[in-house]
Amino acid sequence: ILRREGLAEALKTGLVGDRDLFELLERDRESASLEEVVTRAAAVKVRVVGEDERDTGLRAILNFGHTIGHAIEYASPLSHGEAVAVGMVAAGRVSLHRLGFPGMDRMLDAIDNLNLPTRVQGLERARVEDLLRHDKKRDREGTRMVLIRAFGDPVVEHVAPSDIDLAL
């Protein structure tokens, strides 16, 4: 399970910052070279943190899948990586709806092929919504969420309650 946890985070990193990493995981699945996966994922994080040392903007892209993922993690029996995988699906849905994200099906297949969940059964929606209202990424304008226009092209946007409904 620990390997899958890491693969969920690596897939997220590939989606927001390294299309080749995403394609490696998409192609090789759980048999992908752990050394290459870790090296590539770390390189993205080093680049992003180096460009935003004070966490004033760009670094937020590393939270793709985490806004709803954290709420799901606290409201369900899923582990962090599993919840982030479901959160990526949720963010992907909003990305598709708002930005026309063309890679939704590929992302879903990649998550599924890494033996990560793409949804949660029996989740108490009101609990998730309450957790989202108290999320640290919320500000006066509402909930901020990392969305993607295309692989490697993330954007942080405020989302409407209707977007959260779509995601859930």
Side-chain angles (χ1 to χ4, degrees):
I1 192 160
L2 290 177
R3 183 178 178 101
R4 278 198 333 254
E5 297 281 318
L7 291 175
E9 289 289 344
L11 184 67
K12 175 251 342 191
T13 305
L15 285 162
V16 299
D18 183 346
R19 184 183 181 118
D20 291 339
L21 174 56
F22 170 79
E23 290 175 349
L24 170 70
L25 290 167
E26 179 183 41
R27 181 187 66 241
D28 294 351
R29 303 175 182 187
E30 288 186 88
S31 66
S33 162
L34 195 54
E35 181 178 352
E36 184 174 359
V37 168
V38 170
T39 299
R40 293 189 78 92
V44 171
K45 289 186 176 193
V46 166
R47 178 179 51 82
V48 169
V49 171
E51 290 179 31
D52 185 13
E53 290 181 25
R54 298 190 185 273
D55 198 7
T56 59
L58 178 66
R59 194 182 308 190
I61 69 169
L62 298 175
N63 288 322
F64 180 68
H66 284 69
T67 302
I68 290 178
H70 280 150
I72 289 170
E73 182 178 0
Y74 293 117
S76 77
L78 294 183
S79 67
H80 177 74
E82 292 169 330
V84 167
V86 175
M88 287 189 287
V89 172
R93 283 188 188 129
V94 177
S95 298
L96 176 62
H97 174 73
R98 288 180 60 150
L99 306 171
F101 171 51
M104 185 66 184
D105 290 337
R106 284 181 67 192
M107 183 182 75
L108 280 170
D109 288 344
I111 292 168
D112 190 52
N113 289 333
L114 289 171
N115 294 309
L116 291 162
T118 57
R119 70 179 103 157
V120 185
Q121 297 296 329
L123 194 61
E124 187 182 330
R125 185 182 179 120
R127 173 86 171 117
V128 173
E129 290 170 344
D130 184 57
L131 288 164
L132 286 169
R133 279 191 291 280
H134 297 94
D135 185 87
K136 69 179 183 179
K137 292 173 287 301
R138 238 181 114 73
D139 61 21
R140 285 177 293 158
E141 295 177 53
T143 301
R144 290 182 310 139
M145 195 172 192
V146 181
L147 306 176
I148 50 178
R149 292 179 282 243
F151 297 121
D153 188 12
V155 61
V156 180
E157 292 191 358
H158 283 92
V159 294
S162 60
D163 294 318
I164 298 296
D165 287 340
L166 175 66
L168 296 177

